[in-house]
Amino acid sequence: MFKSSLSGKPLLQLISEDEVKRIHVASMKLLEEIGVIIHNERALKLLDASGIDVDFKQKLARIPQHIVKEALVKAPSTIRLYSRDGKHDRLLDGNKVTYNPGSAAMFFLDHKTGERRRPVTKDLIDLVRLTDSLENVQAQSTALVISDVPQEIADRCRLPIVLKNSSKPIVTGAFSIDGLYDMRRMLQIVAGGEKELARKPMAIFDTCPSAPLKWSEITCQNLIDCAKSHIPAEIIPMPQLGATGPVTLAGSLVQHNAEFLSGLVMAELTNPGAPVIYGGSPTTLDMRYGTARLGAIETMMLDCSYAQIGKFYGLPTHAYLGLSDTKVVDAQAGFESGIAVVLGALAGINVISGPGMLNFENCQSLEKLVIDDAICGMALRLAEGVKVDDATLAIDLIRKVGPGGAYLAEKHTLDWFRKEQLLPSELVDRVEWKAWKAAGSKNITQRARESVEKSLREHHPEPLPSDVEKDLDGLVKSILEKHK
Amino acid sequence: MKEALTERLMDAVVSYEVEDAVRAAKEALEAGVDPVGAIENGLARGLRIVGDKFGAGEVFLPELMIAVEAMKQAMAVLEPAIAGRAIKQKPKGKVLIGTMEGDIHDIGKSIVSAMLTVAGFEVIDLGVDVPVEKFIAKAREVQPDFIGLSSLMTTTMLGMENVVKALAKEDLRKKVKVIIGGAPTSSEWAEQIGADGHAGDAMEAVEVTERLLRTREDSP
């Protein structure tokens, strides 16, 4: 039915193939019969011109099934995300996973003072440089909403900081219509032009419908503008189970999928072949406190399930996983993020945003970011699975060593241990008791703090070429002047 | 008979039966039950029971929201019959609430509305995507004690400052306490824009409103 370039099924499947199809059929019917509200005149006109039933007064579009199917065929099944040095490109394809920090935190947990406060430019520079140094968090994000710039342009002020301090690809987003235009210009400067950026996208933009079944003017326009410029857009439905989506996982999946498909249709009608990622940020509403929770197991289950639907459509997938609802870097941060990061890898989700994030998605912590990097390493190793062939079965070796022998000094061990064993950094405690005591009896948060400080001291990201940096600075200056 | 109907109103709220509440309200009017008594001894009593259970962690938000809905719908039946007669148990205060212009997020604000209703406040909910002018016009009309501003987006959060400024311009600022809430907001932001309070969640929204109510009553 749809193209599929997927190399094999993901290791984790929470719903059966029949169930995926059942949800797909239900979403298609929902779009056709109930429709979506779109608070964007241009989008409504675009849909209307394509033969979709649009009620302009209610801003409601009912999308027929054949149009959704056409859009599904047009969207590319793989996306290559380019890095500015060419060394950190990421292919969003099959079950390959790319982790990046959770984005747009309003707060920062200061690793020096332990205080939660509004972040400033320097904090984002530190976060980006630290991420640049990490092995398993392979992409960047505009992770902090910095407070020392005019707030109406806080969205676009983040991107140049990332571009200047790291060569890794970026997951970002705009908070306004103009924001995206300014950010697109920044990316074009670094890519070397408009066509170059369209050909080699370096950044993904998040666009979030408002559950249930609604698109706001800004996010809808962002989606259309991304499609126009051939910039990959992550469509991120955010049903809150029991509040803005049915409390049942299956019901929220139907709605989530319908919202995604409505965005996909807008993108593909704008520009056939526009790169779109099947994303999401569902949350569970805590029925005691009325809080939206990301560390909840149902949230993670919904992520893994909609990713199965995305894979059924043959599209790259995304999820917010690796975030914790706790306020400090503690055991809850570890287990919530750990479970989520591992599930995401097993589900083969291509872009996983979350590392570093605490307190729902409201506070970034550098200590948590380095701990999450270690978790991501374990998850990536897990996703590689168990390799079984003549060499790994090692029958000849077992015969050779024989009963009572030892393997440590064997060439087979030397040849294979780096491939088979993940060697985590010193952050992860693996030493003997006495050695741990001698090193100051530190817990992981303390070791993480030291690791953060060491990386910030010693890691030097590849700078932008000076002429590019000059152009970028010039643009930022003109934007700031406009918004004085 | 009349007492039984008042009981039924209470039961309907306590057992989360919206239709029963409406039906009982209609029957109560037909039977000549005093509507003021029906509200105070029936609906409001039921809602207090549910509120207490919520506080004790026995029931959760879905129960609370439906109980409030049952009360609201039954009130809509009873209120016309009151026609200007004073209710003995006046609401603690009047709260005008809404989500900022450009923001169509409803749920957080609706939970706060329900919790304030349970706590005994009269809540006028303007819905979502509310322009500053609408807040001001309605404030002039209903003379609220509080205005609650909700926002889930950093961009729409900026509009909160305009409400505070507009209230000052309209000479309403002294009469109305402004409380803000929503994911991107903070106490610092409330302070910065000159709002009177900030609530991190619905429970705190009730606490802040009650606290501001007390300071208001304390002041001459």
Side-chain angles (χ1 to χ4, degrees):
Chain A
M1 179 180 183
F2 312 110
K3 78 231 146 262
S4 180
S5 74
L6 299 179
S7 48
K9 285 176 188 159
L11 293 164
L12 177 73
Q13 282 166 296
L14 292 179
I15 47 177
S16 70
E17 273 172 51
D18 283 346
E19 288 164 344
V20 168
K21 282 180 192 150
R22 212 169 148 189
I23 291 163
H24 161 71
V25 168
S27 305
M28 298 280 266
K29 264 186 85 136
L30 203 63
L31 278 179
E32 192 168 60
E33 289 167 11
I34 308 291
V36 280
I37 288 178
I38 301 168
H39 287 264
N40 183 304
E41 201 63 22
R42 264 182 282 186
L44 288 173
K45 280 184 184 150
L46 171 80
L47 297 178
D48 184 54
S50 311
I52 291 168
D53 171 18
V54 174
D55 179 338
F56 281 89
K57 214 172 144 209
Q58 286 191 66
K59 301 182 192 300
L60 186 74
R62 293 192 182 87
I63 307 172
Q65 305 202 6
H66 72 273
I67 290 188
V68 179
K69 284 179 187 160
E70 281 162 28
L72 279 166
V73 174
K74 283 178 202 151
S77 54
T78 66
I79 295 171
R80 191 176 189 88
L81 204 51
Y82 291 82
S83 54
R84 63 170 165 81
D85 63 357
K87 289 180 206 152
H88 296 88
D89 293 5
R90 302 297 304 175
L91 190 63
L92 312 183
D93 178 41
N95 295 314
K96 287 193 188 75
V97 177
T98 296
Y99 292 105
N100 71 290
S103 72
M106 290 297 287
F107 293 95
F108 182 67
L109 192 65
D110 190 326
H111 59 282
K112 292 194 189 95
T113 61
E115 233 181 300
R116 185 189 85 142
R117 57 172 172 77
R118 283 302 311 276
V120 292
T121 301
K122 174 71 169 61
D123 302 323
L124 185 56
I125 293 174
D126 284 352
L127 190 146
V128 171
R129 293 174 85 97
L130 180 64
T131 303
D132 193 70
S133 78
L134 297 176
E135 202 182 328
N136 308 305
V137 178
Q138 312 103 327
Q140 290 282 354
S141 75
T142 39
L144 296 168
V145 181
I146 46 181
S147 61
D148 54 348
V149 295
Q151 284 305 283
E152 67 271 23
I153 51 166
D155 53 353
R156 63 212 85 169
C157 289
R158 301 173 299 164
L159 187 58
I161 297 169
V162 184
L163 287 166
K164 282 161 97 166
N165 289 285
S166 177
S167 18
K168 291 184 176 177
I170 305 160
V171 181
T172 187
F175 308 155
S176 55
I177 292 171
D178 285 356
L180 188 124
Y181 301 151
D182 284 341
M183 292 165 85
R184 187 172 58 191
R185 280 171 69 205
M186 293 169 188
L187 291 165
Q188 286 168 351
I189 287 173
V190 175
E194 197 183 320
K195 279 191 195 125
E196 286 77 3
L197 181 67
R199 206 161 41 83
K200 291 187 162 189
M202 281 181 299
I204 297 169
F205 279 76
D206 289 349
T207 60
C208 315
S210 310
L213 302 165
K214 259 195 305 195
W215 283 86
S216 76
E217 188 186 5
I218 293 171
T219 191
C220 182
Q221 192 60 43
N222 284 169
L223 175 63
I224 289 172
D225 290 331
C226 279
K228 259 187 216 158
S229 312
H230 214 78
I231 291 171
E234 245 161 27
I235 297 177
I236 304 188
M238 313 188 281
Q240 209 175 82
L241 291 122
T244 60
V247 76
T248 46
L249 287 160
S252 268
L253 278 171
V254 172
Q255 184 188 303
H256 184 114
N257 192 43
E259 288 177 13
F260 166 78
L261 291 171
S262 66
L264 176 86
V265 165
M266 286 193 273
E268 299 308 322
L269 286 177
T270 301
N271 182 7
V276 165
I277 298 162
Y278 193 122
S281 182
T283 53
T284 304
L285 182 79
D286 184 283
M287 294 300 182
R288 290 160 301 177
Y289 308 116
T291 46
R293 296 294 81 169
L294 282 160
I297 195 72
E298 306 80 29
T299 299
M300 304 172 197
M301 290 164 76
L302 200 77
D303 285 308
C304 296
S305 310
Y306 76 63
Q308 275 186 253
I309 305 172
K311 287 174 183 295
F312 165 69
Y313 294 146
L315 295 173
T317 51
H318 154 273
Y320 275 94
L321 290 164
L323 311 89
S324 173
D325 296 326
T326 182
K327 315 301 177 282
V328 291
V329 185
D330 59 5
Q332 186 180 340
F335 75 72
E336 286 181 343
S337 302
I339 291 169
V341 162
V342 165
L343 287 177
L346 291 179
I349 298 172
N350 302 120
V351 182
I352 297 180
S353 309
M357 197 65 91
L358 291 169
N359 189 19
F360 171 54
E361 46 188 346
N362 228 343
C363 184
Q364 263 287 352
S365 152
L366 300 186
E367 294 103 309
K368 179 169 186 287
L369 187 55
V370 294
I371 295 170
D372 290 348
D373 181 69
I375 300 173
C376 294
M378 287 177 81
L380 290 169
R381 170 63 189 96
L382 173 66
E384 280 173 16
V386 181
K387 188 176 164 69
V388 181
D389 61 18
D390 287 347
T392 59
L393 284 168
I395 297 184
D396 291 343
L397 176 71
I398 299 168
R399 197 187 310 259
K400 182 188 152 202
V401 170
Y407 291 95
L408 188 57
E410 289 296 324
K411 178 144 190 323
H412 182 272
T413 307
L414 181 67
D415 289 345
W416 279 97
F417 87 97
R418 283 174 203 278
K419 294 183 199 121
E420 289 277 306
Q421 288 191 357
L422 169 78
L423 205 59
S425 73
E426 286 169 15
L427 184 70
V428 179
D429 179 9
R430 287 186 156 190
V431 299
E432 244 308 309
W433 168 268
K434 275 170 73 182
W436 172 77
K437 192 118 174 84
S441 312
K442 289 169 190 153
N443 64 28
I444 190 153
T445 312
Q446 292 166 307
R447 290 194 299 276
R449 197 162 302 141
E450 289 170 3
S451 166
V452 166
E453 272 157 21
K454 184 166 183 274
S455 294
L456 290 179
R457 218 168 35 235
E458 294 175 2
H459 178 73
H460 301 287
E462 183 75 25
L464 274 176
S466 59
D467 54 327
V468 175
E469 183 167 341
K470 216 178 113 200
D471 288 352
L472 187 61
D473 285 343
L475 173 60
V476 172
K477 210 175 141 205
S478 75
I479 292 168
L480 282 169
E481 262 161 27
K482 237 195 314 182
H483 291 273
K484 248 181 189 167
Chain B
M1 171 70 182
K2 288 181 181 177
E3 260 175 40
L5 278 166
T6 307
E7 267 319 277
R8 253 184 68 196
L9 281 167
M10 185 195 81
D11 283 346
V13 173
V14 172
S15 53
Y16 321 112
E17 298 289 351
V18 180
E19 281 166 26
D20 269 7
V22 172
R23 221 175 297 129
K26 283 179 185 158
E27 284 174 35
L29 284 187
E30 279 162 20
V33 176
D34 170 24
V36 173
I39 292 172
E40 287 173 356
N41 303 323
L43 297 172
R45 188 148 64 100
L47 199 59
R48 268 199 305 280
I49 293 171
V50 176
D52 288 346
K53 282 187 184 175
F54 181 82
E58 286 168 33
V59 302
F60 301 97
L61 282 172
E63 284 103 341
L64 195 76
M65 300 295 281
I66 293 177
V68 169
E69 189 58 32
M71 158 128 179
K72 265 196 204 161
Q73 290 201 18
M75 287 275 280
V77 175
L78 295 172
E79 261 170 350
I82 298 172
R85 278 178 51 205
I87 298 182
K88 273 175 278 164
Q89 291 170 337
K90 274 193 183 159
K92 285 183 188 166
K94 210 183 270 183
V95 184
L96 186 64
I97 195 167
T99 304
M100 300 307 301
E101 184 170 18
D103 207 324
I104 50 180
H105 296 96
D106 187 49
I107 196 76
K109 176 218 31 119
S110 297
I111 294 174
V112 172
S113 295
M115 299 275 285
L116 285 169
T117 307
V118 172
F121 289 90
E122 181 188 349
V123 180
I124 301 130
D125 191 335
L126 289 175
V128 296
D129 194 15
V130 182
V132 174
E133 307 79 56
K134 198 170 165 189
F135 275 112
I136 302 303
K138 197 72 186 174
R140 232 184 280 128
E141 183 195 325
V142 303
Q143 300 286 326
D145 304 290
F146 301 92
I147 291 187
L149 305 173
S150 167
S151 156
L152 195 78
M153 289 143 71
T154 35
T155 40
T156 59
M157 178 184 93
L158 301 175
M160 292 175 165
E161 191 169 9
N162 298 332
V163 176
V164 179
K165 280 183 185 159
L167 284 171
K169 214 173 137 200
E170 296 286 319
D171 218 24
L172 288 162
R173 187 66 190 91
K174 280 190 192 118
K175 295 176 211 150
V176 184
K177 299 276 183 201
V178 179
I179 303 168
I180 65 163
T185 64
S186 60
S187 308
E188 292 79 17
W189 176 242
E191 209 167 295
Q192 203 178 321
I193 63 170
D196 301 288
H198 166 260
D201 61 26
M203 270 58 89
E204 200 190 349
V206 175
E207 283 164 26
V208 170
T209 312
E210 301 222 334
R211 193 179 66 230
L212 288 172
L213 187 74
R214 280 197 300 276
T215 56
R216 207 184 137 101
E217 282 162 355
D218 292 346
S219 63

